[in-house]
Every structure is written in C-alpha cells, then in structure tokens.
Amino acid sequence: MSILGNRVVRVEDPKFLTTGGVYVDDVRDPRLAGAGWVTYVRSSLAAARITGIDTSAALDSPGVLAVYTGADVDDLEPIPPEVNGLNPTMLRPWLAHDVVRFVGEPVAAVVTVNRYQGEDAAELVSVDYEPMPVVVRTADALRDEVLLFPDAGTNVALRLDDGLDETLFADCEVVLTADIVNSKVAPAPLEARAAACAWGNDGRLTFWATTQNAQDSRDQLVEQLGLAPGAVHVITPDVGGGFGAKFGLSPEDAFLGWIARRLGRPVRWAETRSESLTAMGHGRAQEQTVTIGGRRDGTVLAYRLEIRQDVGAYPRMGGMLPELTRLMTSGVYDIARVESRAVSVVTNTAPTIAYRGAGRPEATAAIERAVDLFAAEIGMDPAAVRRRTLLPADAFPYTTAGGATYDSGDYATALDRVLAAAGYTELRAEQARRRAAGDPVQLGIGLSVYVEVTGSGDEVARIVVHADGGATVHTGTSPHGQGHATSWAMIASEHTGIPHERITVLHGDTDEVPVGGGTGGSRSLQLGGAAVGEAALTLVESARKTAADLLEADPGDLVLDRGAGRFTVAGDPGAGLTWAQLAAAAPEPLAAAGAFAAEATYPFGAHVAVVEVDTESGQVRLTRMITVDDAGRVLNPLIVEGQRHGGIAQGAAQALLEEVRYDDDGNPLTTTFADYAIVSAPDLPSFELVAMETPTPLNPLGAKGIGEAGTIGSTPAVQNAVVDALAPFGVRHLDMPASPERVWRAVQNAAER
C-alpha cells in the first residue's frame, strides 16, 4: 500500500509543541561566545540630507564596543537592485551617509556587550537632518518633480509597456473602467529578522540566518562582502515564518559580516517588532486601473490592466512584481483581447519585497473585481458571467496573451463544486429576503476563480542510508512551516520501503547541502520532492547492484520488498538483505543523488466568501469561507489543508484588516500591532475545504504548488462579498481593507448621492 496520498501526521510538530523550536535568537554555538549585539540607528525622517552625525555620547555609554556610520564603510560597494532589469542607478548604501530616503533606514550601527545596552546607546547617536521634499504616492512619483535619485533623472525603476490598442473595446456594448488599490501590507512573521555570525581562524565566515534560502544567502554574502567562493558557511535553524520576506538576506542581515570582521568578534542582531513593521519591507503596494468590455449577454470581449507599482525607497524584489502580474493578467478567462502595461516607481517609503503570492494575487484581485463590476453593470449574476467566460477543460495546455502556458485545469468544475458546497442558490435567496426587509445587517456573497504560477526551475536531493537502516535526506529546499521533514520522508519511504519515521531530513546548511533553490514561489514539492523521488529511485537501483554482489546473484533476480525493507532473490525469499545489513556490509557508503527540473505549473481554484455587514456601524463579519484549491495530486492531505488554512486566513486578512499606512510626510502610522491589525481566530469562521485534484503532467508526482494558493483566491472573494453586501446602497467598489470606517463612509456617501 502506498504511503502517498495519506494523512500522515507531521513529524515536525512534537518538537514545536513541547521543547519549542531553535531560532536564530536561540542559537548558543560556542563560535558565538562573546558576541556583541548590534542595534541599528534608524532615520526618523522620510527624506532628508544628513548634515552631521555625532557618536561621541554613544561611545561613552556603558557596554558600547563600537559605533559605525556610513563614513566607515569605505570598502563595500553600494547595494544594487535585487533583480536584473530594475534601474541600476538606484543604489542603496549600507548605512545612509548622504541622504535618507525612508523612515527606518539604517544610519548607524551600535555594537554593545548586551542587547539592552544597545537600545540606550542608539538613542545617544545624534543625527542632524535637513528635511527634503517627500514623495509618498505613486502619482506624485510619476511626475518626476521630486527625485529620490537625482542622478537617475527619474523615479521610474521599471517600465513594461508594449503600447495600447485604441481599438481594443471598439465593438463592446459595455465598457467599464475602475481604479483599484491593492493595499500595502506587512509580512509580520512570528519571528522577525535575526542573524548572527562569526569569523573563524581560517578566515571563513559562519553565518546563522532566518532565511528561506541558505544557498542564495551564502552567495549573496560572497558577492556583497567581496569574499572567495567557499569562504562562507550559512546555517538556517528553525524559521518562524517567511512569506517571501526572508528569501535571501536583507541589508541589515548581511552587514553583520562586515561588522564582525571590522570589530574582530562575533555579532548578533534581532530586530524589534516595530523595526519589522517599519523597515523589513512591505508587500503588494499596487495601484491598478482595470478596463473591461463586452456584450450585455455576459460575453467579455476585452480586458486591459494598467499597473502602478510602489517600489519604496530602493528597488528590491517588489520592483519586478508587475512582471508576474502581467503574466497572469487574463486569469482563468477566455477573453479574445487582453493587454497590460506597468510602471514601477520609487517613493519615500519602506522597500517593497516579495509577499505570499508576489504579483499573482494582484492580478487575480484586479480581474475578479473587474468581472464583478461587469456583472453588476449588465445585471447578471457574477457566477453566470464567470461560467460563461471560463477557459474550457479541453483547452489545456493553453498559452495566454501574457505568455503563460497553463499546464492543466478544469475551472468550471472548480466553480460548480464550490457553489454547490456553499449552497449558492439558498444564499442568494436569503440575501434577497434581507434586502427586501431592509435589514440593517446585509448579506454579501463574493466569488473568485483564480489561477497562479508556481515552481519552475530545478532542485537537488541526496539520500544516505545508515548502518542502523535509517536514512537521511539532504534537500536544497528550506522549510519554514511547510512540513518537508514529513513529506520528503514519505517520498523516500515510498520508493525504498524504509519506514518514514526512520528518515530524517537535513536542510539549510550550505556545507552539507551546497546547492539548492530554497523555498519560495510554491516550488518545493514539485521540484524538491521530485528530486527526492529521483534520488530514491537511483538509490534503489544502486543498492540492488550492491546487494547482488554481496549475495552473488544476478541484479535482475533481486526484488525489493518495500513492505519489509529488504532485497530478496527471486525464487529464494530466504536469501536477502535488509537496508541495515546492506549499509553495514557495503564497501562504500550507500547513497545516491537526484535532481529534477521542470517548467512552471498553474494551480487554480474557486472561492466563495459570505459576509454580514452592519450597515449602521460598518462592521464586517466573515461568516463562511468555502474554497476549492486544486494543486494537482495531493501527497499528504493533512499538510495541504494546513497550507490552505494559512493562505486563506492571510488573504482574508488583507481584505478585511491589514494595511500599512503613511502620512503625507512619509511617517509610518502602523508601527505596532496596536496600529497594524493582524487577523486572529475570532475574526475567522471554520473554513470549508472542498477537495479537487487535477494532476500536472510536468512532474512525476503530478503535484503543483499550494503554499500561496489560498491567499490568491480568498482576498478578492472577501472583497467582492463586502461590495456585494453594499450593492443596495449604490456602492459599486470599495478598496481594501474593508474597515468599519471605510464601509460606513461608503454607505453614507452613497446615501448622500
């Protein structure tokens, strides 16, 4: 019987539920003995010229080992944009020394004997600022009247524009245009950024980091610190959440290597929650203009998406998000004419980084709002418009106008299943009853049907069998909650017969696993898991030959009894060797490597959100959330359901609660959890998960990514539900988040109109 497809309990959980994880802040390695604590002095202004920095008082403070400013960093090149194609002139200094470009930008680094001395000493660093004009909104940035980088001559970090077809909507009976804000959000992982490092006597740097990709972090340190390949060893302990924000190292992380080298002792750093909310980086931050046109019978003929991406003060990963948004412009729909264009601009706010879904949720949010607007305009049920426009199941593989090639899908079935599970007809009847009665608590029903892109590239794995019959899987993926220790053990067990509980998984150590792509973009199972499967198959064949030599038999006569974990000679079941016996007797270590590469897969699904909106107070309550999230063949339903729950909650939170806000002077207004609302259990209903599996032909597991899917489908479904509840008042659109004040004002403004 196959272990794959079964609800195998996660082997990771007992540790986290009993002794707890070991995070960077918990590491007590002897190499870190005597480590100094780093505290960053951060800018209090969004745009200013630095006219002077006085560190004397801080240097006289108890426990201070050193204070570094930008003037000290004369041996490192400024940091270029993270992604090729972004404006290369927009360089970031390690410590601001000429101007500051956002509140929270590091201006100095204080090193102290203990952490709490650093907080006091940092306040004693005196920085003189000469305020400069501030650019907070993308519309202002696009005018190029105030430039963050005068030498660049523009605020544009990226422009993707193939031109617009003025005849795109020529034959449409109905054409609608709307401006949509995909609000700026904070990743807010449970574990904020943290790092520690020590230089060895051999001149080698050992670096502990909370990162989603140890190998990328190692390569980044080699490049940025000017080190020789092999001079850096990165270790990733447990990671308390990443959501894309920890894919690689931030400048504050990497700078520790420079500090430790200059100081001549190990150093550590862990940011506070306010630092994290202010300076870790933010996600989404897209303004969109959607135009949709079609016939009054519900046929959508044309769609245009125009994107204005807020990059923040320095172009990081967020600068390239429009590329992914454009790729997924048309979503799940068969629309004859589709076009898009995008521009990314710098502003005096924290840099925009990758955040769960990274560009794909923005595309879904845009087109799902557009379809709802179109349905409302022509007076047709939004489910009917969607069903009429969805790509048919026999269209795959399908290449979109954006250049994506969808591998497999059945969008209509996903929609039908979620509507049936929700009792859609009954929900609409209850909604009609409340509207007719003038009930102050209105019912809103929101739909979304989505497709996303996951997992192109390659990954490696290695399996080693030990003398006791257990095994270790070495993987280039880097889990931070995804359950790889369980899943990879299941795959290895499936092919070898070694019990999964006797298989451990090693990751996040660049000396043990020198090559790897980390975990991000929902890539792990379809690439990393497939690589484990390839390694296991290679191991079995190699072990078969070794067993044949030891048993003096023909390899073709040896059979692996996976139930017993034993190689036997066909026709002579008494002659055989277990994995333990084979590993102990083999002349060489019993090990094998595997690799796998593939094109991207395209998971999809359909969500129904049901909300109750108190139109007198503006309060929104999410009462039901029903979803189909099809990620191909399911390896472990328990883990998939956990990923779906997390994603759905995170997406609903953006629609209802989360928003990073700045005032007109670039001051962040959401720097603590008292100001930045995080979703919690009382805010959410029990999710109703509907199963559906449409395997992909692109990998042997038939699996697609699931880590970000729930986030992509839930946000527009919840937003659409809130707008649907307000439809009787004449409200056609409401930007996220649907806070009580925003909802109440929308009702009041509609009443005035």
Side-chain angles (χ1 to χ4, degrees), residues 214-252:
Q215 292 78 14
D216 179 76
S217 299
R218 174 203 58 202
D219 296 344
Q220 184 180 338
L221 288 166
V222 166
E223 179 179 358
Q224 293 181 338
L225 300 182
L227 303 174
V232 178
H233 176 200
V234 171
I235 301 171
T236 303
D238 292 318
V239 173
F243 310 122
K246 295 180 181 177
F247 201 86
L249 300 177
S250 69
E252 291 97 322

Short mmCIF file of all heavy atoms in Angstrom, two decimals, residues 214-252:
data_model
loop_
_atom_site.label_atom_id
_atom_site.label_comp_id
_atom_site.label_asym_id
_atom_site.label_seq_id
_atom_site.Cartn_x
_atom_site.Cartn_y
_atom_site.Cartn_z
N ALA A 214 19.17 29.24 2.20
CA ALA A 214 20.53 29.33 2.74
C ALA A 214 21.56 29.50 1.63
O ALA A 214 22.53 30.26 1.78
CB ALA A 214 20.84 28.08 3.56
N GLN A 215 21.40 28.79 0.54
CA GLN A 215 22.39 28.84 -0.54
C GLN A 215 22.42 30.22 -1.20
O GLN A 215 23.50 30.75 -1.49
CB GLN A 215 22.10 27.74 -1.58
CG GLN A 215 22.33 26.33 -1.09
CD GLN A 215 21.21 25.80 -0.21
OE1 GLN A 215 20.12 26.38 -0.15
NE2 GLN A 215 21.46 24.70 0.49
N ASP A 216 21.27 30.80 -1.44
CA ASP A 216 21.22 32.14 -2.01
C ASP A 216 21.82 33.14 -1.03
O ASP A 216 22.53 34.07 -1.45
CB ASP A 216 19.77 32.52 -2.32
CG ASP A 216 19.64 33.91 -2.90
OD1 ASP A 216 19.97 34.08 -4.08
OD2 ASP A 216 19.24 34.83 -2.16
N SER A 217 21.57 32.96 0.25
CA SER A 217 22.13 33.85 1.26
C SER A 217 23.66 33.76 1.29
O SER A 217 24.35 34.77 1.40
CB SER A 217 21.56 33.51 2.64
OG SER A 217 20.15 33.68 2.66
N ARG A 218 24.17 32.55 1.16
CA ARG A 218 25.63 32.37 1.09
C ARG A 218 26.20 33.10 -0.12
O ARG A 218 27.19 33.84 0.02
CB ARG A 218 25.95 30.88 1.00
CG ARG A 218 27.44 30.56 0.78
CD ARG A 218 27.60 29.19 0.15
NE ARG A 218 26.88 29.09 -1.13
CZ ARG A 218 26.50 27.94 -1.67
NH1 ARG A 218 26.77 26.80 -1.08
NH2 ARG A 218 25.86 27.94 -2.84
N ASP A 219 25.60 32.91 -1.27
CA ASP A 219 26.10 33.56 -2.48
C ASP A 219 26.02 35.08 -2.37
O ASP A 219 26.89 35.80 -2.87
CB ASP A 219 25.32 33.06 -3.69
CG ASP A 219 25.50 31.57 -3.94
OD1 ASP A 219 26.44 30.99 -3.38
OD2 ASP A 219 24.68 31.00 -4.69
N GLN A 220 24.97 35.55 -1.73
CA GLN A 220 24.82 36.99 -1.53
C GLN A 220 25.95 37.54 -0.66
O GLN A 220 26.52 38.59 -0.97
CB GLN A 220 23.46 37.26 -0.88
CG GLN A 220 23.11 38.72 -0.69
CD GLN A 220 21.74 38.88 -0.04
OE1 GLN A 220 20.89 37.98 -0.10
NE2 GLN A 220 21.54 40.02 0.59
N LEU A 221 26.29 36.84 0.41
CA LEU A 221 27.37 37.28 1.29
C LEU A 221 28.71 37.26 0.56
O LEU A 221 29.53 38.18 0.72
CB LEU A 221 27.43 36.39 2.53
CG LEU A 221 26.29 36.58 3.54
CD1 LEU A 221 26.27 35.43 4.53
CD2 LEU A 221 26.43 37.91 4.27
N VAL A 222 28.94 36.24 -0.24
CA VAL A 222 30.18 36.15 -1.00
C VAL A 222 30.32 37.36 -1.92
O VAL A 222 31.38 38.01 -1.99
CB VAL A 222 30.23 34.84 -1.82
CG1 VAL A 222 31.33 34.89 -2.87
CG2 VAL A 222 30.44 33.66 -0.89
N GLU A 223 29.23 37.70 -2.61
CA GLU A 223 29.29 38.80 -3.56
C GLU A 223 29.38 40.15 -2.86
O GLU A 223 30.23 40.99 -3.21
CB GLU A 223 28.06 38.77 -4.47
CG GLU A 223 28.02 39.89 -5.48
CD GLU A 223 26.80 39.83 -6.38
OE1 GLU A 223 25.99 38.89 -6.22
OE2 GLU A 223 26.65 40.72 -7.23
N GLN A 224 28.53 40.37 -1.87
CA GLN A 224 28.46 41.69 -1.27
C GLN A 224 29.65 42.01 -0.37
O GLN A 224 30.05 43.18 -0.27
CB GLN A 224 27.15 41.83 -0.49
CG GLN A 224 25.91 41.83 -1.39
CD GLN A 224 24.62 41.99 -0.62
OE1 GLN A 224 24.54 41.70 0.58
NE2 GLN A 224 23.58 42.45 -1.30
N LEU A 225 30.21 41.00 0.28
CA LEU A 225 31.35 41.24 1.15
C LEU A 225 32.68 41.03 0.44
O LEU A 225 33.75 41.16 1.06
CB LEU A 225 31.27 40.34 2.39
CG LEU A 225 30.03 40.52 3.28
CD1 LEU A 225 30.10 39.60 4.49
CD2 LEU A 225 29.88 41.97 3.73
N GLY A 226 32.64 40.67 -0.83
CA GLY A 226 33.86 40.51 -1.60
C GLY A 226 34.70 39.33 -1.15
O GLY A 226 35.93 39.43 -1.06
N LEU A 227 34.05 38.20 -0.91
CA LEU A 227 34.74 37.01 -0.40
C LEU A 227 34.93 35.98 -1.49
O LEU A 227 34.28 36.01 -2.54
CB LEU A 227 33.92 36.40 0.75
CG LEU A 227 33.62 37.34 1.92
CD1 LEU A 227 32.69 36.66 2.91
CD2 LEU A 227 34.90 37.78 2.61
N ALA A 228 35.84 35.07 -1.23
CA ALA A 228 36.08 33.99 -2.18
C ALA A 228 34.99 32.93 -2.05
O ALA A 228 34.46 32.71 -0.95
CB ALA A 228 37.45 33.35 -1.91
N PRO A 229 34.63 32.27 -3.16
CA PRO A 229 33.67 31.16 -3.05
C PRO A 229 34.17 30.12 -2.05
O PRO A 229 35.34 29.80 -2.01
CB PRO A 229 33.63 30.60 -4.48
CG PRO A 229 34.06 31.74 -5.34
CD PRO A 229 35.07 32.52 -4.54
N GLY A 230 33.28 29.64 -1.24
CA GLY A 230 33.67 28.67 -0.22
C GLY A 230 34.08 29.31 1.09
O GLY A 230 34.33 28.59 2.07
N ALA A 231 34.13 30.65 1.13
CA ALA A 231 34.55 31.33 2.37
C ALA A 231 33.39 31.62 3.31
O ALA A 231 33.59 32.24 4.35
CB ALA A 231 35.26 32.64 2.02
N VAL A 232 32.18 31.17 2.94
CA VAL A 232 31.00 31.43 3.77
C VAL A 232 30.25 30.13 4.02
O VAL A 232 30.03 29.34 3.10
CB VAL A 232 30.06 32.45 3.09
CG1 VAL A 232 28.82 32.68 3.95
CG2 VAL A 232 30.78 33.77 2.84
N HIS A 233 29.87 29.93 5.26
CA HIS A 233 29.05 28.79 5.67
C HIS A 233 27.77 29.35 6.29
O HIS A 233 27.83 30.00 7.34
CB HIS A 233 29.83 27.94 6.68
CG HIS A 233 29.05 26.79 7.24
ND1 HIS A 233 29.39 26.16 8.42
CD2 HIS A 233 27.94 26.13 6.79
CE1 HIS A 233 28.54 25.19 8.68
NE2 HIS A 233 27.66 25.15 7.70
N VAL A 234 26.63 29.13 5.64
CA VAL A 234 25.36 29.62 6.16
C VAL A 234 24.59 28.47 6.78
O VAL A 234 24.50 27.38 6.19
CB VAL A 234 24.52 30.27 5.04
CG1 VAL A 234 23.10 30.58 5.53
CG2 VAL A 234 25.19 31.57 4.58
N ILE A 235 24.06 28.73 7.95
CA ILE A 235 23.25 27.74 8.67
C ILE A 235 21.89 28.37 8.96
O ILE A 235 21.80 29.48 9.48
CB ILE A 235 23.91 27.33 10.00
CG1 ILE A 235 25.31 26.73 9.74
CG2 ILE A 235 23.04 26.35 10.76
CD1 ILE A 235 26.12 26.51 11.01
N THR A 236 20.84 27.64 8.61
CA THR A 236 19.48 28.11 8.88
C THR A 236 18.84 27.23 9.94
O THR A 236 18.53 26.07 9.68
CB THR A 236 18.62 28.06 7.60
OG1 THR A 236 19.24 28.83 6.59
CG2 THR A 236 17.23 28.60 7.86
N PRO A 237 18.66 27.74 11.15
CA PRO A 237 17.93 26.97 12.15
C PRO A 237 16.44 27.00 11.85
O PRO A 237 16.04 27.24 10.70
CB PRO A 237 18.26 27.70 13.46
CG PRO A 237 18.99 28.94 13.11
CD PRO A 237 19.08 29.05 11.62
N ASP A 238 15.60 26.76 12.84
CA ASP A 238 14.16 26.89 12.61
C ASP A 238 13.84 28.32 12.21
O ASP A 238 14.48 29.28 12.65
CB ASP A 238 13.39 26.52 13.88
CG ASP A 238 13.51 25.04 14.22
OD1 ASP A 238 13.42 24.22 13.28
OD2 ASP A 238 13.70 24.70 15.40
N VAL A 239 12.84 28.47 11.34
CA VAL A 239 12.45 29.78 10.84
C VAL A 239 10.99 30.01 11.20
O VAL A 239 10.12 29.20 10.85
CB VAL A 239 12.64 29.87 9.32
CG1 VAL A 239 12.08 31.19 8.77
CG2 VAL A 239 14.12 29.76 8.97
N GLY A 240 10.73 31.09 11.89
CA GLY A 240 9.37 31.39 12.34
C GLY A 240 8.58 32.20 11.34
O GLY A 240 8.14 33.31 11.62
N GLY A 241 8.41 31.66 10.15
CA GLY A 241 7.63 32.33 9.11
C GLY A 241 8.49 33.15 8.19
O GLY A 241 9.48 33.76 8.60
N GLY A 242 8.13 33.13 6.92
CA GLY A 242 8.89 33.88 5.93
C GLY A 242 7.99 34.69 5.01
O GLY A 242 8.16 35.88 4.85
N PHE A 243 7.01 34.03 4.36
CA PHE A 243 6.03 34.67 3.48
C PHE A 243 6.68 35.43 2.33
O PHE A 243 6.10 36.36 1.79
CB PHE A 243 5.11 35.60 4.27
CG PHE A 243 4.51 34.95 5.49
CD1 PHE A 243 4.72 35.49 6.75
CD2 PHE A 243 3.77 33.79 5.39
CE1 PHE A 243 4.19 34.89 7.88
CE2 PHE A 243 3.23 33.18 6.51
CZ PHE A 243 3.44 33.73 7.76
N GLY A 244 7.90 35.04 1.94
CA GLY A 244 8.60 35.71 0.85
C GLY A 244 9.55 36.79 1.33
O GLY A 244 10.52 37.12 0.64
N ALA A 245 9.31 37.35 2.50
CA ALA A 245 10.13 38.45 3.01
C ALA A 245 11.53 38.00 3.39
O ALA A 245 12.43 38.83 3.52
CB ALA A 245 9.45 39.09 4.21
N LYS A 246 11.74 36.69 3.58
CA LYS A 246 13.04 36.19 4.01
C LYS A 246 13.73 35.37 2.91
O LYS A 246 14.60 34.55 3.20
CB LYS A 246 12.89 35.34 5.27
CG LYS A 246 12.43 36.10 6.49
CD LYS A 246 12.30 35.19 7.71
CE LYS A 246 11.80 35.93 8.93
NZ LYS A 246 11.61 35.03 10.09
N PHE A 247 13.35 35.62 1.67
CA PHE A 247 14.02 34.91 0.59
C PHE A 247 15.34 35.62 0.31
O PHE A 247 15.41 36.59 -0.44
CB PHE A 247 13.16 34.86 -0.67
CG PHE A 247 13.56 33.75 -1.60
CD1 PHE A 247 13.05 32.48 -1.43
CD2 PHE A 247 14.47 33.96 -2.62
CE1 PHE A 247 13.41 31.44 -2.27
CE2 PHE A 247 14.85 32.93 -3.46
CZ PHE A 247 14.33 31.66 -3.28
N GLY A 248 16.41 35.14 0.93
CA GLY A 248 17.69 35.83 0.90
C GLY A 248 17.85 36.68 2.14
O GLY A 248 17.09 36.57 3.10
N LEU A 249 18.85 37.55 2.13
CA LEU A 249 19.17 38.38 3.29
C LEU A 249 18.83 39.83 3.01
O LEU A 249 19.01 40.33 1.90
CB LEU A 249 20.65 38.27 3.63
CG LEU A 249 21.19 36.88 3.98
CD1 LEU A 249 22.69 36.95 4.24
CD2 LEU A 249 20.47 36.29 5.19
N SER A 250 18.39 40.53 4.03
CA SER A 250 18.21 41.97 3.94
C SER A 250 19.57 42.64 4.15
O SER A 250 20.52 42.02 4.65
CB SER A 250 17.23 42.45 5.01
OG SER A 250 17.81 42.32 6.30
N PRO A 251 19.71 43.92 3.79
CA PRO A 251 20.98 44.62 4.03
C PRO A 251 21.40 44.60 5.49
O PRO A 251 22.60 44.46 5.79
CB PRO A 251 20.69 46.04 3.54
CG PRO A 251 19.64 45.87 2.49
CD PRO A 251 18.77 44.75 2.99
N GLU A 252 20.44 44.72 6.41
CA GLU A 252 20.79 44.70 7.83
C GLU A 252 21.37 43.35 8.25
O GLU A 252 22.25 43.28 9.11
CB GLU A 252 19.56 45.02 8.69
CG GLU A 252 19.09 46.46 8.58
CD GLU A 252 17.95 46.64 7.60
OE1 GLU A 252 17.96 45.98 6.54
OE2 GLU A 252 17.05 47.44 7.89
#
